[in-house]
Each structure stands twice: as structure tokens, then as C-alpha cells.
Amino acid sequence: MDLPAVVFFGRTLEEYTRFFALDPAGLRGRAVLDVAAGPSSFTAEAHRRGIDAVAVDPLYNQPPPALAARIREDYARMFLQMRAKPRLFKFRGPGLPARGLDRSPGREARATTGFASFDEAEADRRAAATRFLADYEGNGRHGRYVRASLPLLPFLDGAFDLVLCAHLLFVYAARFDFAWHLTACAELARVSNGEVRIHPVCGPDGKPYPELDRLRAELGALGTTSAVARVNYEFFAGTSTMLVLNPQSP
Ligand SMILES: C[S@@+](CC[C@H](N)C(=O)[O-])C[C@H]1O[C@@H](n2cnc3c(N)ncnc32)[C@H](O)[C@@H]1O
């Protein structure tokens, strides 16, 4: 994908659940931070499920009409680009349910997930933005939507049980250098008293982040262990893993 600037583009809690391997029921009552949240509906939907979620994005100082205009522009641009490059995407097989088991003859039964078409993906992600805007416009704007930018977060050490960051790190490695990635990961780890999950672990070409080993080694030296975990998700080809950071207690 050609991403000259960071796009204001977001996904649903359902999609987050898949690419972060989340158990939303198990997160009830827990403090969860979504960094680089954009117009994702994760935080709005999580609140409805009793999760104490907070979202961070540099654009959360903007009024709802400005964000709605930005969504219109960025979504149109993204879907045009995606439709022009279908080979970069993996689709759910014909006739398979959005969630369930693929029991095709001659194949071991396996979970089916994902989108059947660009139209389905577009409808889902536009629904995410609509839910986000409604929540942002309502009582959530000054409470659970916080304007901030990596690599600095305005939260106390260990303030969250789980910290998530999707589609910023690694995807924009041409814009943010190695030092930025290291400082950003260390900052995500600082505000978590549990895990940090980062997805995907590849660039806009679907290839693994080339500096991953060095990043993990330098985080290890700072006291944060890490692992790359496979997830049951892959829409953009190459996005079937997440990076899990485990900050160690002092
Ligand atoms: C592609 S969106 C991802 C939205 C959401 N996390 C998802 O996966 O659906 C990337 C977001 O990162 C935000 N962003 C850009 N620079 C950032 C920074 N330095 N720190 C945090 N967020 C940033 C952008 O405003 C944009 O909303």
C-alpha cells in the first residue's frame, strides 16, 4: 500500500478481537488503552461491554465535523487503493460464514474469519467510524478520547491492564525511524501493568518489520520481554501476527 501520511481509518471491536486475540468478556472491568485509535469503534463498543477503555489519538482535539470530513476523505482514498490492489488481500472463501467452521471436504475443520469482499470490509469499517463518531460526539469526547501522540503518553506508570496499538507502528516505518519505534514501544510498556499488544508486525508491503530482532533485543535490555504470536486473522496479506510486550515489574 502507498501510505504517504498516517490515515484516519478504523476498525471494529470484532476486528480488534481477531487481530489482538482478545477475550472481551474477560476484559470486563479492566482498564484498556487503545493508542493510535483513530475512528475505530473499539473504545465505544468496549464501554458497552463493561470494559474501562480509553482511546488516544493526535486528532482528538478536533471537533466532530472536522473528524467526519477527515473520515470521508481518508476512507475514500483507502478503499480506492485497496480495490486497485486485490492481490494484497485475503478473502473468506465463497459460502463460508463470517464466523464459524470451514468443514470443506478433505480439509481439517478450521475457524473461518475475515471479509468475503471489499464491499463487506468497507461496510464494516464505515460502521466502525459511525459508531466512533456517535460516541466521540456524545459524552465520551473529553473523557475516554484523549489527544496525545507517541512517543509520549499522558498517563501514570502501569495505569492500564492492557495496552493496544494497531496500524501505526511498523506500518509507517518509512515515516518513523528505529529510534522512534524503540521509544514508542518503551512508552507503551511504561503505561501497562500487564501486556502490550501491537498489530501488525509488518510494513505496508506485508513484509516483516526488518528491525524487529534489534527492537526486541533493545527492549529486552530495558527490561521488557517480547514474543511474536500468531493470530487467527489475515486480511491484508502478512498481518497474521502480533507483537506482545511484557514489561517486567521493577
Ligand atoms: C490507520 S489508523 C489506525 C486506527 C486503529 N488503531 C485501527 O487499527 O483501526 C492510525 C492512527 O494513528 C494516529 N497517529 C498518527 N500519528 C500518531 C502518533 N505519533 N501517536 C499516536 N497516534 C498517531 C492517526 O491519527 C490515525 O488515527
Side-chain angles (χ1 to χ4, degrees):
M1 300 286 284
D2 181 21
L3 300 170
V6 184
V7 290
F8 198 67
F9 188 76
R11 298 154 183 86
T12 61
L13 177 141
E14 163 78 26
E15 213 174 333
Y16 266 51
T17 298
R18 286 191 268 134
F19 60 61
F20 280 131
L22 299 176
D23 167 21
L27 290 174
R28 190 179 292 269
R30 313 302 297 272
V32 179
L33 180 66
D34 181 14
V35 179
S40 162
S41 58
F42 171 80
T43 291
E45 294 182 75
H47 260 268
R48 266 181 252 133
R49 292 170 185 235
I51 301 167
D52 182 12
V54 172
V56 158
D57 199 280
L59 297 188
Y60 287 164
N61 62 327
Q62 299 205 10
L67 289 188
R70 180 74 190 255
I71 287 167
R72 275 195 299 278
E73 282 166 28
D74 283 7
Y75 273 56
R77 194 173 322 124
M78 279 299 283
F79 280 104
L80 201 65
Q81 245 204 80
M82 287 163 69
R83 284 190 166 89
K85 298 182 180 171
R87 286 201 190 142
L88 294 180
F89 294 86
K90 294 196 173 182
F91 294 95
R92 196 175 74 239
L96 293 176
R99 281 192 296 168
L101 280 184
D102 173 5
R103 297 183 191 280
S104 309
R107 171 187 266 177
E108 200 180 309
R110 56 180 191 144
T112 61
T113 54
F115 300 113
S117 64
F118 283 124
D119 286 353
E120 198 176 289
E122 179 165 4
D124 199 69
R125 290 171 179 185
R126 286 194 182 279
T130 302
R131 273 179 229 142
F132 156 77
L133 274 177
D135 198 50
Y136 183 81
E137 247 174 336
N139 58 14
R141 186 172 163 203
H142 298 293
R144 46 188 181 258
Y145 294 98
V146 176
R147 180 203 188 183
S149 301
L150 282 172
L152 267 181
L153 298 172
F155 305 109
L156 297 175
D157 295 1
F160 295 91
D161 300 311
L162 176 66
V163 174
L164 307 172
C165 185
H167 301 104
L168 178 67
L169 271 69
F170 315 129
V171 176
Y172 295 93
R175 183 183 177 90
F176 299 113
D177 64 10
F178 177 80
W180 183 92
H181 276 80
L182 179 62
T183 316
C185 285
E187 183 69 346
L188 293 167
R190 182 188 68 75
V191 299
S192 177
N193 63 52
E195 277 184 3
V196 176
R197 297 187 188 183
I198 301 168
H199 172 87
V201 195
C202 64
D205 51 4
K207 294 196 178 134
Y209 177 57
E211 305 256 43
L212 188 62
D213 290 347
R214 183 177 159 212
L215 181 78
R216 292 180 61 195
E218 296 207 15
L219 285 169
L222 296 173
T224 292
T225 57
S226 60
V228 175
R230 188 155 283 281
V231 292
N232 185 19
Y233 175 90
E234 192 171 20
F235 181 43
F236 185 69
T239 57
S240 58
T241 56
M242 65 175 167
L243 178 64
V244 181
L245 308 183
N246 281 104
Q248 287 167 6
S249 320

